[in-house]
Amino acid sequence: MASVTPPGLAYEVAHDQANHRFTARVRGHVAVLDYQLKRRRMVITHTEVPEPIAGRGVAGELTRVALRFAREHKYKVVPACAYAEAFLQRHEEFHDLLVG
């Protein structure tokens, strides 16, 4: 799942399904999005981007990739961390994934 951000800052988002984690390695730093699966629901529990790479859209890209994964597998999404909740409020294209 390749992701491209501003010029000179290309990275890939990796998915470790066994550990329920998406990661992005950027300039030697690792950003993460953790989730749990519970009854066909993806509960996004944590996002973290190290300060040296903050503000570059990495958390947003991790969240987009995770939400595309949820859509592909027909999971509903529960944003249990503040970042995921705020992201989903700003991006209507993913509202269909929210638990009603």
Side-chain angles (χ1 to χ4, degrees):
M1 294 179 211
S3 304
V4 179
T5 55
L9 189 64
Y11 60 89
E12 275 197 37
V13 172
H15 187 194
D16 179 352
Q17 280 189 270
N19 291 304
H20 300 135
R21 174 174 273 194
F22 290 90
T23 59
R25 183 175 300 277
V26 181
R27 296 189 175 160
H29 301 280
V30 179
V32 300
L33 179 146
D34 293 317
Y35 67 93
Q36 299 172 353
L37 293 176
K38 296 180 180 182
R39 289 180 250 141
R40 304 294 305 159
R41 293 181 178 180
M42 172 189 258
V43 181
I44 299 175
T45 58
H46 179 73
T47 55
E48 184 175 343
V49 176
E51 188 62 35
I53 60 171
R56 299 178 185 188
V58 178
E61 189 60 19
L62 283 169
T63 305
R64 278 184 201 84
V65 172
L67 294 173
R68 287 194 300 259
F69 172 81
R71 182 170 278 140
E72 289 171 15
H73 290 84
K74 300 190 182 344
Y75 296 137
K76 286 296 188 180
V77 174
V78 178
C81 82
Y83 181 85
E85 184 175 10
F87 181 94
L88 280 158
Q89 286 176 356
R90 292 189 315 268
H91 293 86
E92 290 184 18
E93 67 270 27
F94 295 112
H95 284 184
D96 62 302
L97 296 175
L98 290 170
V99 172

